[in-house]
Amino acid sequence: MIEVVVITGRTTEQGMTIDEKLSEAYMKAVNYCEMNEKDMEKIGVKEGDRVIVRSEVGEVVLYVKKPEVDLQPPEGIIFIPMGPYANRVVGILNGSGTPQYKGVKATIEKTDKNVLSIEELIST
Amino acid sequence: MVKDVVCTFCGNACDDIEFEEEYGVNLCPLGEAKFSKKDRIKAPMIDGKEVTYEEAIEKAAEILKEAKRPLLYGWSSTVNEAIRLGVIIAEKIGGIYDQCSSVCHAPTTLAMIEQGIVGGTLGQAKNRADIVVFWGCNPVEAHPRHPTRYSVMAKGFLTKGRLDRKVIVVDVRKTPTAYLATDFYVVKPNSDFAIFTALRSAINGNENAIPDEVGGLKRDEIINLAEKLEKAKYGVIFFGLGITHTRGHERNVEAVIKLVQDLNRKTRYILQPMRGHFNVVGSGEVPAWEVGFEYAIDFSRKYARFSPGEFTAVEALIRGDCDAAMIVASDPVAHFPKKAVDRLKEIPVIQIDPHPNLTTKVANVVIPTAIVGIEAEGTIYRMDGIPLRVKKIRDSKYMSDIEVMEKLLEKI
Amino acid sequence: MTIMIKNGIVVDPTQNIDGEKMDLFIKNGKLVEESEAGKVEKVIDANGMTVVPGGIDIHAHIAGPKINAGRSMRPEDLKYVRSKSNKTRCAMGKVLLTCPAIGYEYAKMGYTTAIEPATPTIYSIHTHEELDSIPIVDKAALPLFGNWHLTFKFAAEGDVEKMKAFVAWAIDKAKGYGIKIVNPGGVEAWMYGKNVHSIHELIPGFEATPAEVLTTLMKAAVELNLPHKVHVHCNNLGVPGSAETTAETIKLAEKIGKENCLHITHVQFNSYTGDSWKNIGSGAEELSKLINSSPVTVDMGQVIFGHTTTMTADGPFEFALFKLAKTKWINKDVEIETGGGIVPITYRAKSPVNAVQWATSLEFGLLVDPDKIVVSTDYPNGGPFVEYPYIISLLMSKKLRENEVKEKNVSNYIERATSLLSLDIERSFYDIVKMTRSTPAKILGLKNKGTLRIGADADIAIYPFNCNEVRDEELLKSLERTAYTIKSGEIVVKDGEIVSDIWGKTFWVKVNSEREIIEEELNDVFKYYTVSKNNYGVKEEWIRKPEVVKV
């Protein structure tokens, strides 16, 4: 387990599937996190493995994605596309009305738990 | 062939789309997806059972009238005409009006309340800007045609193209937008306020006040960046949720506004938030002229009260204040924190939207509507507030958002 | 509905009627002869009350991106509740009013028409959306020509024909009512961080001066026979020495020589003598003489003590004000056609500069021929339009002016810097009706407004006082709220309360002209726009109740 900072945001795939949120394409566009390969080594995961991310907000199981070296997030930062999965671990209230969706402290480790489907995710 | 169609996806609202039958020219991947055929909500529904429009609207009106404090939320992907009726409905039933900004650029509004904002239209970036800065935003993926149409490569009358411009990208990670940069800076998360403040120190001749390192940038890098910024004849800083969604929120935006104020004492600069949905600007402008405020508006006392953190949708839901919700052209179940979603599962929810989404899963009344800009027309505001009339290019069997709102208002 | 207004004391300068007891008849929204009225359905007993045409505001920033940005920036102003949501909409705002509040407040004080005077053409859809959300009053918008590159180009070429075509094109795109120009050339200079300081200085990037721009526009407006010609916010606004620029601008109109060819708006803000804030003075005496003997008309731009929010297309001025006031600042540079800025301000009676501003506008109100001047605050720049009754009462009574100076503790600097306190003039109510009704109607070319002639629009204000027996102390109260306001033949206000929420018309001018001659220039300029030429502007069918004025 290592400590990371969670960043969320739009991606092209998330944008392209935004009007088809009940589709598999959307689920695949938002149910992963991008990691730096050094962080991946530290927790012993490779692309396609599952990780559990925990923050003060909650926890979520995600697939690991390793972008090409040039576009990997810096060490200590993971990126999750905006959406229902990311929102399990970000969205800290602060009184301004706008939750903190980025720059949220969390831990990440390898897990055998399943990545929930969107149906399962919103029913829990 | 239909020409000059306005794309109704992102805040770029590109208005040069051409359609030959189903085939659209000039669309980016996001626009292409938007205009492609996809699953629709087939018919109005009450508790999962198909009903007529009349029945669904009747039921929706009943829910809204019975509720003590209904939340009317969404609006950023519909037209001003529908939004206006929505504000009037919220006023009449003593509900809360809130819109997608409250989980997006609302900190920009709060900062604007403190400082104002030095802004301009996208034409300024195109025609005059010799320095373009993207700070905490990723237009290549979120506003794909922004660089070619408005900012990086656009051919203007003073700035003729890419070669006449410096492009500076600042972010916490390398995104595809960084490939457009003349200079790319990686900064630490949650450090924007400190960096903006350090830049202001450099620009205002207080270099000595800058520590050795700020937010991952060395002192020299800060001074160097400040010098670059000052050299512009006309600079534009575009910023995104990288600033509003991180620690500091509105304080970060205030800091960059003050930076731009300072830069205007040396040369010309403007600041432009990268607004997401194609009419999220309208969803703030319309209530401002109708009742005085952009978002987080409560009507329980028969007049408008504005209080972010109190009447913003997320907090109002989590606190349990709202006993019903009407969601228009948005999907809070996908985009709100879990606790707010949990409350939506407990209360009666009305959804008005063309497409099934996660909110459909928790909605008691579902009213499908025509897709704005494809099957329904109306007025929208681009990210810089420029108004555009979106077109109807296909017929559909669905009622428009405006028609549904009109009927709903009649019944209330 | 057919209405009879019985036994009212009528004032109508267009018919030389000054306080005569008369009956008026209204049918189908118009004033009619008794013989045409037929069966009267409603009789208003106006015994002891004063009956005048509905008021006309010639210059109030009531709609569009500027006032709305101002609202967003100032929730501290908007939280003021004027009326709750009940039979009518809720009405919010102390100075920056919401659209429902604007319509209701005008109607309550007997005003039935208002002109939004600064619409960026590219934002005109927005302006019309807001105008369409203002209840009751009739309205119109003036598109901005000041920084439009084609304005400068055609002025540089001295090409009146092309300027006419361009004016016709832009007014059609904006569904506007006339030509507005703000700080000619100065807004373009601001794109380079500068301003222009004289009407004879070249505009950056163009071979034209503000004087040439104004002259060419006036020629175009006159030749096109626009109902309202050129409406100008002069160069050098708000600075000591601006009176000289204004005098030079008036001379440009004298050369054109056509009555009403130039309307100098919020003249007060452009009429200071001196060369620094230390020796600022009023240029109203000299300028009033010039105005009275020239073809120009003006509106006051009265300053009201208290807080307000300034907003103008004059971007460089607002930047200067921001540096002076050290408060918040909105700026907007708009494509290649205009700009704008918004800065909050408080006018303090004790401040010598603010006191001079307050006194200067009153001097104009007292010294300029009532056929040439209109009551205004340049809403919201000088203050809220709801203060018009206050302005009128000061114009009508020297005693009230003296009381005001005492009560508000107005800086005694005005004794040296203005002539206000030495002026014994007291405007008659007849003059006031001119300055708020017939004069603006004439300047705007609104033939059926500002008059009670047979056939005119039945826009009527009935005030609960007898104008033949004016008592200073009751004046303000008498004018703040009408006993009745009638708009298009419907009673909309009774005893100062809104009783009917109706929609007024939006006037726009349809100009016949040869558009083809500028097609090439337009196509060229739209390469530098970020919207396509076909998507630029407003179509008539998007407006709630359009009313075409053909020329």
Side-chain angles (χ1 to χ4, degrees):
Chain A
M1 186 181 80
I2 57 168
E3 287 188 355
V4 286
V5 173
V6 181
I7 300 294
T8 62
R10 290 192 187 280
T11 68
T12 306
E13 291 72 23
Q14 177 267 344
M16 287 173 69
T17 53
I18 198 165
D19 288 331
E20 301 171 276
K21 290 222 186 70
L22 305 179
S23 71
E24 180 145 348
Y26 176 72
M27 189 169 77
K28 282 187 173 165
V30 293
N31 70 357
Y32 65 88
C33 70
E34 290 181 4
M35 293 183 74
N36 186 287
E37 56 192 31
K38 286 184 187 149
D39 288 338
M40 288 170 69
E41 262 170 49
K42 283 182 215 160
I43 60 168
V45 290
K46 56 184 189 312
E47 168 120 4
D49 283 352
R50 283 155 294 168
V51 286
I52 186 160
V53 180
R54 294 189 183 91
S55 75
E56 66 170 276
V57 178
E59 59 179 54
V60 68
V61 179
L62 301 163
Y63 292 108
V64 171
K65 196 166 174 179
K66 185 174 90 170
E68 55 183 287
V69 181
D70 202 35
L71 286 174
Q72 283 173 11
E75 247 183 292
I77 293 178
I78 65 166
F79 172 82
I80 313 175
M82 67 179 283
Y85 294 88
N87 288 341
R88 290 305 167 107
V89 289
V90 297
I92 301 169
L93 301 191
N94 54 72
S96 78
T98 306
Q100 187 175 341
Y101 283 105
K102 299 178 199 284
V104 173
K105 278 187 181 165
T107 62
I108 187 166
E109 65 181 311
K110 190 174 178 177
T111 183
D112 292 330
K113 287 186 184 168
N114 285 329
V115 175
L116 298 180
S117 71
I118 286 191
E119 293 274 338
E120 291 165 333
L121 193 72
I122 59 170
S123 61
T124 55
Chain B
M1 186 155 88
V2 200
K3 282 187 159 187
D4 305 308
V5 174
V6 181
C7 176
T8 44
F9 189 89
C10 78
N12 280 351
C14 302
D15 76 333
D16 62 344
I17 314 301
E18 295 174 3
F19 274 93
E20 190 83 66
E21 298 291 319
E22 299 289 298
Y23 181 72
V25 179
N26 287 341
L27 287 165
C28 71
L30 302 180
E32 214 156 274
K34 170 89 196 187
F35 282 82
S36 70
K37 288 243 160 84
K38 51 180 81 75
D39 265 2
R40 300 287 290 272
I41 302 168
K42 288 191 180 59
M45 292 185 286
I46 299 175
D47 296 326
K49 267 175 54 189
E50 288 192 10
V51 296
T52 63
Y53 267 111
E54 185 71 14
E55 289 165 323
I57 293 170
E58 188 69 50
K59 179 72 183 168
E62 197 182 292
I63 290 171
L64 291 176
K65 277 192 286 189
E66 275 174 19
K68 283 201 183 74
R69 219 170 177 197
L71 168 70
L72 280 68
Y73 176 85
W75 313 103
S76 62
S77 292
T78 187
V79 292
N80 287 354
E81 292 82 351
I83 294 167
R84 178 169 179 273
L85 295 168
V87 173
I88 295 172
I89 292 170
E91 182 183 323
K92 284 215 184 302
I93 59 177
I96 289 176
Y97 174 94
D98 194 35
Q99 40 102 352
C100 304
S101 287
S102 79
V103 292
C104 242
H105 265 292
T108 304
T109 300
L110 291 178
M112 200 258 287
I113 289 168
E114 296 296 323
Q115 299 297 338
I117 191 164
V118 192
T121 63
L122 294 171
Q124 306 310 314
K126 171 175 169 157
N127 285 318
R128 302 181 201 267
D130 53 353
I131 285 194
V132 173
V133 181
F134 294 106
W135 196 301
C137 57
N138 180 14
V140 169
E141 292 194 84
H143 301 85
R145 293 184 70 209
H146 193 283
T148 47
R149 239 175 98 75
Y150 305 122
S151 51
V152 180
M153 288 82 109
K155 294 186 177 74
F157 80 93
L158 283 181
T159 305
K160 307 284 183 201
R162 178 66 185 89
L163 293 176
D164 289 351
R165 283 190 189 92
K166 272 206 164 66
V167 178
I168 295 169
V169 176
V170 184
D171 211 331
V172 295
R173 64 183 179 114
K174 189 161 185 180
T175 66
T177 299
Y179 291 126
L180 301 175
T182 325
D183 300 282
F184 172 56
Y185 296 87
V186 184
V187 300
K188 286 188 180 155
N190 297 320
S191 59
D192 303 280
F193 180 88
I195 298 168
F196 291 137
T197 306
L199 284 169
R200 293 187 62 213
S201 297
I203 284 161
N204 295 328
N206 302 320
E207 289 93 343
N208 295 339
I210 305 170
D212 292 341
E213 187 248 291
V214 182
L217 298 182
K218 296 208 169 58
R219 187 170 174 275
D220 287 348
E221 284 179 294
I222 300 263
I223 292 169
N224 182 263
L225 175 56
E227 280 168 2
K228 273 184 211 159
L229 292 175
E230 276 183 56
K231 276 196 193 120
K233 287 199 192 87
Y234 193 105
V236 184
I237 299 178
F238 293 103
F239 70 99
L241 302 185
I243 292 176
T244 66
H245 269 176
T246 51
R247 203 178 65 211
H249 301 271
E250 68 275 17
R251 298 296 167 204
N252 302 336
V253 186
E254 263 192 78
V256 70
I257 292 171
K258 289 184 90 78
L259 170 65
V260 172
Q261 287 175 355
D262 292 345
L263 283 164
N264 271 290
R265 289 167 188 267
K266 313 247 169 185
T267 177
R268 280 307 317 279
Y269 258 87
I270 60 168
L271 184 67
Q272 173 63 47
M274 298 289 277
R275 307 298 305 267
H277 294 287
F278 66 89
N279 196 28
V280 68
V281 175
S283 70
E285 294 268 353
V286 176
W289 79 57
E290 289 295 335
V291 297
F293 311 106
E294 288 196 357
Y295 71 106
I297 309 162
D298 170 76
F299 292 102
S300 61
R301 293 188 181 168
K302 294 204 160 286
Y303 56 86
R305 290 186 300 156
F306 167 63
S307 181
E310 189 180 4
F311 307 137
T312 29
V314 170
E315 282 88 347
L317 285 170
I318 291 176
R319 252 192 339 267
D321 284 356
C322 295
D323 53 351
M326 180 165 86
I327 310 298
V328 182
S330 182
D331 188 5
V333 174
H335 296 136
F336 278 4
K338 182 175 183 297
K339 281 184 194 161
V341 175
D342 287 345
R343 178 65 181 171
L344 281 172
K345 287 194 235 167
E346 292 167 12
I347 59 176
V349 172
I350 304 152
Q351 183 194 30
I352 300 175
D353 207 288
H355 302 290
N357 59 29
L358 306 198
T359 302
T360 320
K361 293 276 170 192
V362 309
N364 305 75
V365 179
V366 178
I367 304 175
T369 49
I371 304 170
V372 167
I374 301 177
E375 302 163 348
E377 60 179 349
T379 309
I380 63 123
Y381 292 171
R382 199 169 75 181
M383 66 163 73
D384 53 356
I386 296 267
L388 288 161
R389 186 82 181 181
V390 303
K391 295 180 173 65
K392 177 179 174 173
I393 56 170
R394 285 179 209 151
D395 286 328
S396 87
K397 60 174 185 169
Y398 296 101
M399 279 172 84
S400 71
D401 290 334
I402 303 174
E403 288 166 334
V404 172
M405 287 300 148
E406 277 170 350
K407 288 246 186 291
L408 203 47
L409 184 58
E410 274 169 30
K411 289 186 193 294
I412 278 163
Chain C
M1 188 160 67
T2 308
I3 302 173
M4 175 188 186
I5 303 171
K6 202 176 170 183
N7 287 331
I9 303 151
V10 174
V11 180
D12 179 9
T14 65
Q15 303 183 86
N16 302 316
I17 300 170
D18 186 5
E20 292 170 36
K21 201 168 221 186
M22 299 171 67
D23 298 336
L24 298 176
F25 294 88
I26 297 163
K27 191 178 180 180
N28 298 331
K30 300 277 178 189
L31 281 150
V32 295
E33 300 277 11
E34 183 174 2
S35 57
E36 291 171 57
K39 188 174 175 284
V40 171
E41 291 156 278
K42 163 90 189 167
V43 177
I44 294 174
D45 180 5
N47 198 22
M49 299 190 197
T50 299
V51 181
V52 296
I56 300 169
D57 197 337
I58 198 170
H59 187 105
H61 299 267
I62 52 172
K66 269 200 294 293
I67 183 167
N68 217 33
R71 291 182 185 113
S72 290
M73 181 172 74
R74 304 212 65 185
E76 66 275 20
D77 186 323
L78 268 299
K79 72 180 182 187
Y80 180 81
V81 186
R82 289 185 175 271
S83 58
K84 292 187 184 183
S85 172
N86 211 327
K87 275 185 208 150
T88 57
R89 299 283 309 283
C90 76
M92 309 290 295
K94 184 76 184 168
V95 178
L96 301 175
L97 277 57
T98 56
C99 287
I102 288 172
Y104 297 159
E105 291 301 322
Y106 269 129
K108 285 178 183 178
M109 61 174 200
Y111 269 63
T112 48
T113 303
I115 308 298
E116 148 59 38
T119 294
T121 310
I122 196 169
Y123 279 100
S124 51
I125 301 177
H126 179 161
T127 303
H128 281 287
E129 280 195 286
E130 285 196 37
L131 289 177
D132 271 354
S133 295
I134 297 175
I136 300 175
V137 295
D138 286 345
K139 53 254 166 175
L142 303 178
L144 288 158
F145 284 79
N147 191 40
W148 242 104
H149 282 190
L150 288 184
T151 307
F152 299 154
K153 183 174 159 35
F154 299 144
E157 292 163 1
D159 196 331
V160 179
E161 287 309 310
K162 284 192 175 175
M163 190 68 100
K164 277 159 66 182
F166 175 61
V167 165
W169 175 85
I171 288 180
D172 179 59
K173 285 294 173 188
K175 293 295 170 285
Y177 193 79
I179 299 169
K180 173 68 180 304
I181 182 159
V182 170
N183 184 4
V187 185
E188 179 66 15
W190 169 236
M191 303 300 161
Y192 304 88
K194 299 188 176 77
N195 201 348
V196 295
H197 299 286
S198 147
I199 64 166
H200 300 299
E201 188 180 308
L202 279 181
I203 297 163
F206 293 88
E207 291 298 316
T209 63
E212 286 161 351
V213 168
L214 282 169
T215 300
T216 320
L217 279 173
M218 278 190 279
K219 284 181 185 166
V222 169
E223 287 186 24
L224 288 170
N225 199 21
L226 295 181
H228 181 48
K229 307 294 188 299
V230 177
H231 192 114
V232 65
H233 156 141
C234 292
N235 298 96
N236 279 334
L237 175 133
V239 295
S242 51
E244 198 180 315
T245 310
T246 304
E248 285 180 331
T249 306
I250 292 170
K251 282 181 194 135
L252 298 175
E254 280 172 350
K255 274 191 202 145
I256 299 289
K258 175 96 178 162
E259 206 55 35
N260 294 355
C261 61
L262 189 67
H263 180 76
I264 296 180
T265 191
H266 43 71
V267 64
Q268 175 274 130
F269 286 112
N270 280 84
S271 302
Y272 313 134
T273 57
D275 54 22
S276 82
W277 296 111
K278 292 243 158 48
N279 65 7
I280 186 172
S282 163
E285 266 193 302
E286 287 302 310
L287 283 172
S288 295
K289 282 181 208 153
L290 265 181
I291 292 162
N292 287 339
S293 64
S294 82
V296 305
T297 55
V298 297
D299 61 84
M300 290 168 71
Q302 176 70 44
V303 153
I304 306 292
F305 295 127
H307 95 257
T308 192
T309 305
T310 67
M311 53 185 65
T312 157
D314 197 341
F317 167 74
E318 292 288 358
F319 179 58
L321 194 59
F322 161 67
K323 286 192 287 186
L324 214 57
K326 297 181 180 63
T327 167
K328 29 191 180 181
W329 170 42
I330 285 177
N331 173 82
K332 191 103 180 188
D333 299 341
V334 180
E335 302 287 292
I336 48 177
E337 61 177 69
T338 185
I342 307 171
V343 173
I345 195 171
T346 300
Y347 295 110
R348 293 177 177 84
K350 286 178 191 168
S351 146
V353 172
N354 296 157
V356 165
Q357 294 181 303
W358 176 81
T360 302
S361 35
L362 288 171
E363 283 180 278
F364 277 114
L366 296 169
L367 295 170
V368 175
D369 176 355
D371 287 319
K372 284 177 155 296
I373 188 165
V374 182
V375 170
S376 81
T377 59
D378 180 18
Y379 171 74
N381 288 298
F385 63 81
V386 299
E387 298 287 355
Y388 289 174
Y390 161 83
I391 299 169
I392 293 166
S393 68
L394 294 185
L395 292 174
M396 288 179 71
S397 162
K398 186 171 193 217
K399 194 174 108 198
L400 291 181
R401 293 198 290 273
E402 283 167 352
N403 285 352
E404 184 71 359
V405 170
K406 256 184 251 152
E407 260 173 46
K408 295 261 169 77
N409 213 352
V410 178
S411 166
N412 61 11
Y413 180 71
I414 62 168
E415 286 170 32
R416 276 187 285 149
T418 80
S419 68
L420 180 70
L421 302 181
S422 65
L423 296 176
D424 295 327
I425 302 163
E426 294 189 327
R427 287 293 181 202
S428 65
F429 190 69
Y430 187 80
D431 283 346
I432 293 298
V433 175
K434 282 187 174 183
M435 292 163 73
T436 52
R437 272 84 178 165
S438 55
T439 301
K442 198 176 84 192
I443 298 171
L444 290 164
L446 288 168
K447 295 202 174 69
N448 292 319
K449 305 272 183 205
T451 175
L452 297 173
R453 271 193 301 262
I454 299 303
D457 292 349
D459 297 351
I460 297 168
I462 304 175
Y463 292 101
F465 80 117
N466 180 345
C467 63
N468 293 326
E469 299 163 16
V470 174
R471 276 190 292 271
D472 288 347
E473 51 283 1
E474 285 165 23
L475 199 48
L476 188 59
K477 211 171 169 343
S478 308
L479 295 168
E480 275 179 334
R481 292 283 179 258
T482 61
Y484 291 91
T485 304
I486 296 168
K487 172 69 189 53
S488 303
E490 285 196 52
I491 298 170
V492 290
V493 175
K494 187 168 183 298
D495 298 328
E497 293 300 327
I498 301 291
V499 291
S500 176
D501 211 339
I502 61 168
W503 297 111
K505 294 181 284 250
T506 303
F507 292 100
W508 71 278
V509 172
K510 196 166 197 164
V511 190
N512 281 322
S513 112
E514 309 273 324
R515 311 273 171 87
E516 303 74 34
I517 59 171
I518 57 161
E519 206 53 36
E520 206 176 304
E521 280 94 344
L522 279 173
N523 288 337
D524 189 49
V525 109
F526 267 93
K527 285 182 206 151
Y528 305 119
Y529 263 83
T530 55
V531 299
S532 76
K533 194 169 138 220
N534 292 332
N535 284 332
Y536 187 89
V538 185
K539 290 214 172 97
E540 191 176 13
E541 59 262 36
W542 303 341
I543 299 172
R544 193 191 290 271
K545 280 177 86 176
E547 180 85 5
V548 184
V549 178
K550 285 189 180 144
V551 295

